[in-house]
Amino acid sequence: MKKIILFIALGIFIASCGEKKEEKKDSFEVSRTKSADKKEESAGVPVDLDNKGVGPIKSVDFASDVDTEMAARGEAKFNAICVACHMIEGRMIGPAMKGVYERRSPEWVMNMILNPDGMLKEDPIAKALLKEYNNAIMLNQNLTEDEARDVAEYLRTL
């Protein structure tokens, strides 16, 4: 009887030392790391610094130096509402924000913040971005012009 128990224990020990198989999960995972092989925007979304967009903002004049108080308020607002869809350096639901003023005019950025519905209906760049990002619409966050200007100032720091 002792030999049978010893034999069974030895068999269990040997079976447990076998190679473990990694289980694959069929769930959705979001990675917030930057992927070097993905382009930030495809050739279908043009760079246009002359387009001011559709909305209340007709002119934005940035001072030569960043207003740190305004940028701090903008960073707080960005972290509260924008990070759900935008990362600084990588694609997510929406485009990366780093270098946005190398691709868009300040007026366009502020009009997109303040009037995303109108921009998505009428602006060709906003329409192209909508298509590029799988029809994920930017929701209106109902910011004031001052709050949008704070966020715009913060985007200058990226």
Side-chain angles (χ1 to χ4, degrees):
M1 186 65 153
K2 288 182 183 180
K3 289 182 181 181
I4 294 174
I5 293 174
L6 181 62
F7 184 70
I8 292 172
L10 185 59
I12 292 172
F13 178 73
I14 291 172
S16 67
C17 292
E19 184 179 326
K20 292 185 177 182
K21 293 182 181 179
E22 193 172 312
E23 293 182 27
K24 291 187 177 184
K25 297 179 180 178
D26 291 332
S27 64
F28 177 76
E29 293 183 23
V30 175
S31 175
R32 291 187 147 249
T33 59
K34 183 177 180 181
S35 175
D37 60 339
K38 287 186 178 180
K39 292 176 73 176
E40 287 305 312
E41 291 182 2
S42 73
V45 182
V47 171
D48 188 351
L49 298 174
D50 295 326
N51 182 348
K52 296 186 184 290
V54 177
I57 307 301
K58 304 300 179 206
S59 176
V60 175
D61 294 319
F62 285 145
S64 59
D65 294 327
V66 173
D67 182 329
T68 54
E69 286 182 28
M70 190 181 288
R73 289 191 307 266
E75 181 178 15
K77 186 60 74 174
F78 182 88
N79 289 332
I81 61 175
C82 303
V83 295
C85 298
H86 296 279
M87 291 193 313
I88 301 300
E89 293 190 29
R91 290 176 64 115
M92 200 164 135
I93 295 169
M97 294 289 95
K98 186 172 185 175
V100 68
Y101 295 122
E102 295 168 9
R103 303 182 303 267
R104 310 284 172 256
S105 70
E107 296 84 1
W108 189 95
V109 172
M110 285 190 59
N111 280 323
M112 190 66 184
I113 293 170
L114 293 169
N115 184 31
D117 301 324
M119 291 282 285
L120 292 171
K121 288 178 185 173
E122 298 179 34
D123 184 74
I125 293 175
K127 288 178 182 181
L129 285 168
L130 180 66
K131 184 177 179 183
E132 174 73 16
Y133 287 87
N134 300 316
N135 293 322
I137 62 169
M138 181 170 162
L139 300 175
N140 190 335
Q141 300 298 321
N142 297 311
L143 298 180
T144 66
E145 285 189 23
D146 289 337
E147 290 171 326
R149 179 61 177 88
D150 292 344
V151 172
E153 191 71 11
Y154 167 64
L155 295 176
R156 291 179 64 196
T157 67
L158 303 179

